[in-house]
Amino acid sequence: MNMFKKIKYACAAVLPMFLAACSSSYQDDSSIKAVASFYPMYIIAENVIGDIAGISLENMAQPQTGCLHDYQLTSGDMRKLDAADLFIINGGGMESFLDNALSLFPEMNIIDTSDGTVQLEEEEAHDHGNDDGHEINPHFWLYPENAAVQAQNICDALSEIYPEGADEFQANTDKFIEDISNVETFDGDGVKACIFNEAFEYLSLSYGLDVRLCIEMDENETPSAKELAEIIDAVNDEEISLLIAADDASKAIADTIARETDAEVIVLDPVLTGDYSPSRYVEALNSNARILKGSVDK
């Protein structure tokens, strides 16, 4: 498996890329209620469900939440889960609250969309370079082939609990997978990259990037001069030519690093926040491909 080194630094808060209206596209008048754990799962499930009558879809976490690594369930979340016929999760440890949820709702019907996905293993480093071990990178959805698998897993689960819609679920899923297959691909030719969001490690599968370093950002603090110097040294030592930021906060740090190295800064979309348009996923991947190709081709 491809492995890269992840270093934790105290950095500026990650700001939401886009804050949309938080209401679901679907209402609660339906007989079957599906709840997605967070934004990427909602968007994929939305494409599977489409406008099929008799089923509603709701996003548990607000769309600006981002990853769920340290997410704590709210009373509103509890009410959503209590009413759900199906809870759609990413899996791979992303939903760290899952054990607690299962203790409260032991009969909850859960679909783990990670089943059958390609999963990358990351080498984690703490204390500025001391290896602590390996863990699975659960940001599966940013690899299009994984999103296709996740969509099919959702389709199969929905078809089982709502067989009346099975043919339409499959047709919608096939259309989503076709759209995914048309996202532009190209050979990144082993360009060495430093990423500021773990989801971007999956760009190594899509485009052949050599992801050498991940800067994990903690909220509410800015990096010290010493920490910035360490990152700059690592970028120079690894001969990294591309710094991939996820938002304005990480771009500001990447720009600082770029001024002391030969690396270029680009901003890509990890599809963690946004509006509830069904086309959002494919549009984000196409935009990422265009930006990345423009950088690699220079």
CSV table of all heavy atoms in Angstrom, one decimal, residues 41 44 48 88-91 111-115 117 138-143 145-155 176 281:
chain,number,residue,atom,x,y,z
A,41,MET,N,-21.3,11.6,2.4
A,41,MET,CA,-22.2,10.5,2.3
A,41,MET,C,-23.6,11.0,1.9
A,41,MET,O,-24.3,10.3,1.1
A,41,MET,CB,-22.4,9.9,3.7
A,41,MET,CG,-21.1,9.2,4.2
A,41,MET,SD,-20.5,7.9,3.0
A,41,MET,CE,-19.2,8.9,2.1
A,44,ILE,N,-23.5,11.6,-2.1
A,44,ILE,CA,-23.5,10.3,-2.8
A,44,ILE,C,-24.9,9.6,-2.7
A,44,ILE,O,-25.4,9.2,-3.7
A,44,ILE,CB,-22.4,9.3,-2.3
A,44,ILE,CG1,-21.0,10.0,-2.6
A,44,ILE,CG2,-22.5,8.0,-2.9
A,44,ILE,CD1,-19.8,9.2,-2.0
A,48,VAL,N,-28.1,8.5,-5.5
A,48,VAL,CA,-28.7,7.2,-5.5
A,48,VAL,C,-30.2,7.3,-5.4
A,48,VAL,O,-31.0,6.7,-6.2
A,48,VAL,CB,-28.2,6.3,-4.4
A,48,VAL,CG1,-28.9,4.9,-4.4
A,48,VAL,CG2,-26.7,6.0,-4.6
A,88,ILE,N,-26.5,5.9,7.0
A,88,ILE,CA,-25.5,5.7,6.0
A,88,ILE,C,-24.2,6.3,6.5
A,88,ILE,O,-24.1,7.5,6.7
A,88,ILE,CB,-25.9,6.4,4.7
A,88,ILE,CG1,-27.2,5.8,4.2
A,88,ILE,CG2,-24.8,6.2,3.6
A,88,ILE,CD1,-27.9,6.6,3.1
A,89,ILE,N,-23.1,5.5,6.7
A,89,ILE,CA,-21.9,6.0,7.2
A,89,ILE,C,-20.8,5.7,6.2
A,89,ILE,O,-20.8,4.9,5.3
A,89,ILE,CB,-21.5,5.3,8.6
A,89,ILE,CG1,-21.2,3.8,8.4
A,89,ILE,CG2,-22.6,5.5,9.6
A,89,ILE,CD1,-20.5,3.2,9.6
A,90,ASN,N,-19.7,6.5,6.4
A,90,ASN,CA,-18.5,6.3,5.6
A,90,ASN,C,-17.7,5.1,6.0
A,90,ASN,O,-17.3,4.3,5.1
A,90,ASN,CB,-17.6,7.6,5.7
A,90,ASN,CG,-16.3,7.5,4.9
A,90,ASN,OD1,-16.4,7.7,3.7
A,90,ASN,ND2,-15.2,7.2,5.5
A,91,GLY,N,-17.6,4.9,7.3
A,91,GLY,CA,-16.8,3.8,7.8
A,91,GLY,C,-15.3,4.1,7.9
A,91,GLY,O,-14.9,5.2,7.6
A,111,ILE,N,-25.5,1.1,7.2
A,111,ILE,CA,-24.8,0.7,6.0
A,111,ILE,C,-23.4,1.3,6.0
A,111,ILE,O,-23.3,2.5,6.0
A,111,ILE,CB,-25.6,1.0,4.7
A,111,ILE,CG1,-24.7,0.7,3.5
A,111,ILE,CG2,-26.1,2.4,4.7
A,111,ILE,CD1,-24.3,-0.7,3.3
A,112,ASP,N,-22.4,0.5,6.1
A,112,ASP,CA,-21.0,0.9,6.0
A,112,ASP,C,-20.6,1.0,4.6
A,112,ASP,O,-20.3,-0.1,4.0
A,112,ASP,CB,-20.1,0.0,6.9
A,112,ASP,CG,-18.7,0.4,6.9
A,112,ASP,OD1,-18.3,1.3,6.1
A,112,ASP,OD2,-18.0,0.0,7.9
A,113,THR,N,-20.5,2.2,4.0
A,113,THR,CA,-20.2,2.3,2.6
A,113,THR,C,-18.8,1.9,2.2
A,113,THR,O,-18.5,1.9,1.0
A,113,THR,CB,-20.5,3.7,2.1
A,113,THR,OG1,-19.6,4.6,2.7
A,113,THR,CG2,-22.0,4.1,2.4
A,114,SER,N,-17.9,1.8,3.2
A,114,SER,CA,-16.5,1.5,2.9
A,114,SER,C,-16.3,0.1,2.4
A,114,SER,O,-15.2,-0.3,2.0
A,114,SER,CB,-15.6,1.8,4.1
A,114,SER,OG,-15.9,0.9,5.1
A,115,ASP,N,-17.3,-0.8,2.6
A,115,ASP,CA,-17.1,-2.2,2.2
A,115,ASP,C,-16.7,-2.3,0.7
A,115,ASP,O,-17.5,-1.9,-0.1
A,115,ASP,CB,-18.4,-3.0,2.5
A,115,ASP,CG,-18.2,-4.5,2.2
A,115,ASP,OD1,-17.1,-5.0,2.4
A,115,ASP,OD2,-19.3,-5.1,1.9
A,117,THR,N,-14.1,-0.8,-0.7
A,117,THR,CA,-13.3,0.3,-1.3
A,117,THR,C,-11.8,0.0,-1.2
A,117,THR,O,-11.4,-0.8,-0.4
A,117,THR,CB,-13.6,1.6,-0.5
A,117,THR,OG1,-13.3,1.3,0.9
A,117,THR,CG2,-15.1,2.0,-0.6
A,138,PRO,N,-9.4,7.1,6.1
A,138,PRO,CA,-10.9,6.8,5.9
A,138,PRO,C,-11.5,7.8,4.9
A,138,PRO,O,-12.7,7.8,4.7
A,138,PRO,CB,-11.5,7.0,7.2
A,138,PRO,CG,-10.7,8.1,7.9
A,138,PRO,CD,-9.3,7.9,7.4
A,139,HIS,N,-10.7,8.6,4.2
A,139,HIS,CA,-11.3,9.6,3.3
A,139,HIS,C,-11.5,9.0,1.9
A,139,HIS,O,-11.1,9.5,0.9
A,139,HIS,CB,-10.4,10.8,3.2
A,139,HIS,CG,-10.1,11.5,4.5
A,139,HIS,ND1,-9.4,10.9,5.5
A,139,HIS,CD2,-10.6,12.7,5.0
A,139,HIS,CE1,-9.3,11.8,6.6
A,139,HIS,NE2,-10.1,12.8,6.3
A,140,PHE,N,-12.2,7.9,1.9
A,140,PHE,CA,-12.3,7.1,0.7
A,140,PHE,C,-13.0,7.8,-0.5
A,140,PHE,O,-12.7,7.5,-1.6
A,140,PHE,CB,-13.2,5.8,1.0
A,140,PHE,CG,-12.8,5.1,2.3
A,140,PHE,CD1,-13.7,4.9,3.3
A,140,PHE,CD2,-11.5,4.6,2.5
A,140,PHE,CE1,-13.4,4.2,4.4
A,140,PHE,CE2,-11.2,3.9,3.6
A,140,PHE,CZ,-12.1,3.8,4.6
A,141,TRP,N,-13.9,8.6,-0.2
A,141,TRP,CA,-14.8,9.2,-1.2
A,141,TRP,C,-14.1,10.0,-2.3
A,141,TRP,O,-14.6,10.2,-3.4
A,141,TRP,CB,-15.9,10.0,-0.6
A,141,TRP,CG,-15.4,11.3,0.1
A,141,TRP,CD1,-15.2,12.5,-0.5
A,141,TRP,CD2,-14.9,11.4,1.4
A,141,TRP,NE1,-14.6,13.4,0.4
A,141,TRP,CE2,-14.5,12.7,1.6
A,141,TRP,CE3,-14.9,10.6,2.5
A,141,TRP,CZ2,-14.0,13.2,2.8
A,141,TRP,CZ3,-14.4,11.0,3.7
A,141,TRP,CH2,-14.0,12.4,3.8
A,142,LEU,N,-12.9,10.5,-2.0
A,142,LEU,CA,-12.2,11.4,-3.0
A,142,LEU,C,-11.6,10.6,-4.1
A,142,LEU,O,-11.2,11.2,-5.1
A,142,LEU,CB,-11.2,12.2,-2.3
A,142,LEU,CG,-10.9,13.5,-3.0
A,142,LEU,CD1,-12.1,14.4,-3.1
A,142,LEU,CD2,-9.7,14.3,-2.4
A,143,TYR,N,-11.6,9.3,-4.0
A,143,TYR,CA,-11.1,8.4,-5.1
A,143,TYR,C,-12.4,8.0,-5.9
A,143,TYR,O,-13.3,7.3,-5.3
A,143,TYR,CB,-10.4,7.2,-4.6
A,143,TYR,CG,-9.9,6.3,-5.7
A,143,TYR,CD1,-9.3,6.8,-6.9
A,143,TYR,CD2,-9.9,4.9,-5.5
A,143,TYR,CE1,-8.9,5.9,-7.8
A,143,TYR,CE2,-9.5,4.0,-6.4
A,143,TYR,CZ,-8.9,4.5,-7.6
A,143,TYR,OH,-8.5,3.7,-8.6
A,145,GLU,N,-13.4,5.8,-8.0
A,145,GLU,CA,-13.8,4.4,-8.0
A,145,GLU,C,-14.3,4.0,-6.6
A,145,GLU,O,-15.2,3.1,-6.6
A,145,GLU,CB,-12.6,3.5,-8.4
A,145,GLU,CG,-12.2,3.7,-9.8
A,145,GLU,CD,-11.1,2.7,-10.3
A,145,GLU,OE1,-10.9,1.7,-9.6
A,145,GLU,OE2,-10.4,3.0,-11.3
A,146,ASN,N,-13.8,4.6,-5.6
A,146,ASN,CA,-14.4,4.3,-4.2
A,146,ASN,C,-15.8,4.9,-4.1
A,146,ASN,O,-16.7,4.3,-3.5
A,146,ASN,CB,-13.5,4.9,-3.1
A,146,ASN,CG,-12.3,4.0,-2.8
A,146,ASN,OD1,-12.3,2.8,-3.2
A,146,ASN,ND2,-11.4,4.6,-2.1
A,147,ALA,N,-16.0,6.1,-4.6
A,147,ALA,CA,-17.3,6.7,-4.6
A,147,ALA,C,-18.3,5.9,-5.3
A,147,ALA,O,-19.5,5.8,-4.9
A,147,ALA,CB,-17.3,8.1,-5.2
A,148,ALA,N,-17.9,5.3,-6.4
A,148,ALA,CA,-18.8,4.4,-7.2
A,148,ALA,C,-19.2,3.2,-6.3
A,148,ALA,O,-20.3,2.7,-6.3
A,148,ALA,CB,-18.1,3.9,-8.5
A,149,VAL,N,-18.2,2.6,-5.6
A,149,VAL,CA,-18.5,1.5,-4.7
A,149,VAL,C,-19.4,1.9,-3.6
A,149,VAL,O,-20.4,1.2,-3.3
A,149,VAL,CB,-17.1,0.9,-4.2
A,149,VAL,CG1,-17.4,-0.1,-3.1
A,149,VAL,CG2,-16.3,0.3,-5.3
A,150,GLN,N,-19.2,3.0,-3.0
A,150,GLN,CA,-20.0,3.5,-1.9
A,150,GLN,C,-21.4,3.7,-2.4
A,150,GLN,O,-22.4,3.4,-1.7
A,150,GLN,CB,-19.4,4.8,-1.3
A,150,GLN,CG,-18.1,4.6,-0.6
A,150,GLN,CD,-17.5,5.8,0.0
A,150,GLN,OE1,-17.0,6.6,-0.8
A,150,GLN,NE2,-17.6,6.0,1.3
A,151,ALA,N,-21.6,4.3,-3.6
A,151,ALA,CA,-22.9,4.5,-4.2
A,151,ALA,C,-23.6,3.2,-4.4
A,151,ALA,O,-24.8,3.0,-4.0
A,151,ALA,CB,-22.8,5.2,-5.5
A,152,GLN,N,-22.9,2.2,-4.9
A,152,GLN,CA,-23.5,0.9,-5.1
A,152,GLN,C,-23.9,0.2,-3.7
A,152,GLN,O,-25.0,-0.4,-3.6
A,152,GLN,CB,-22.6,0.0,-5.9
A,152,GLN,CG,-23.3,-1.3,-6.3
A,152,GLN,CD,-24.5,-1.1,-7.2
A,152,GLN,OE1,-24.3,-0.5,-8.3
A,152,GLN,NE2,-25.6,-1.6,-6.8
A,153,ASN,N,-23.1,0.4,-2.7
A,153,ASN,CA,-23.4,-0.1,-1.4
A,153,ASN,C,-24.7,0.5,-0.9
A,153,ASN,O,-25.5,-0.2,-0.3
A,153,ASN,CB,-22.3,0.1,-0.4
A,153,ASN,CG,-21.1,-0.8,-0.7
A,153,ASN,OD1,-21.2,-1.8,-1.3
A,153,ASN,ND2,-19.9,-0.4,-0.2
A,154,ILE,N,-24.8,1.8,-1.1
A,154,ILE,CA,-26.0,2.5,-0.6
A,154,ILE,C,-27.2,2.0,-1.4
A,154,ILE,O,-28.3,1.7,-0.9
A,154,ILE,CB,-25.9,4.0,-0.8
A,154,ILE,CG1,-24.8,4.5,0.2
A,154,ILE,CG2,-27.2,4.7,-0.5
A,154,ILE,CD1,-24.4,6.0,-0.1
A,155,CYS,N,-27.1,1.9,-2.7
A,155,CYS,CA,-28.1,1.4,-3.6
A,155,CYS,C,-28.6,0.0,-3.1
A,155,CYS,O,-29.8,-0.3,-3.0
A,155,CYS,CB,-27.6,1.3,-5.0
A,155,CYS,SG,-28.8,0.6,-6.2
A,176,PHE,N,-24.9,7.9,-11.9
A,176,PHE,CA,-23.9,8.5,-11.1
A,176,PHE,C,-22.5,7.9,-11.4
A,176,PHE,O,-21.5,8.7,-11.5
A,176,PHE,CB,-24.2,8.4,-9.6
A,176,PHE,CG,-23.2,9.0,-8.6
A,176,PHE,CD1,-22.9,10.3,-8.7
A,176,PHE,CD2,-22.6,8.2,-7.7
A,176,PHE,CE1,-22.0,10.9,-7.8
A,176,PHE,CE2,-21.6,8.7,-6.8
A,176,PHE,CZ,-21.4,10.1,-6.8
A,281,TYR,N,-20.6,16.6,-6.3
A,281,TYR,CA,-19.4,15.7,-6.3
A,281,TYR,C,-18.7,15.7,-7.6
A,281,TYR,O,-17.5,15.9,-7.6
A,281,TYR,CB,-19.9,14.3,-5.9
A,281,TYR,CG,-18.7,13.3,-5.8
A,281,TYR,CD1,-17.9,13.2,-4.7
A,281,TYR,CD2,-18.4,12.5,-6.9
A,281,TYR,CE1,-16.8,12.3,-4.7
A,281,TYR,CE2,-17.4,11.6,-6.9
A,281,TYR,CZ,-16.6,11.5,-5.8
A,281,TYR,OH,-15.5,10.6,-5.8
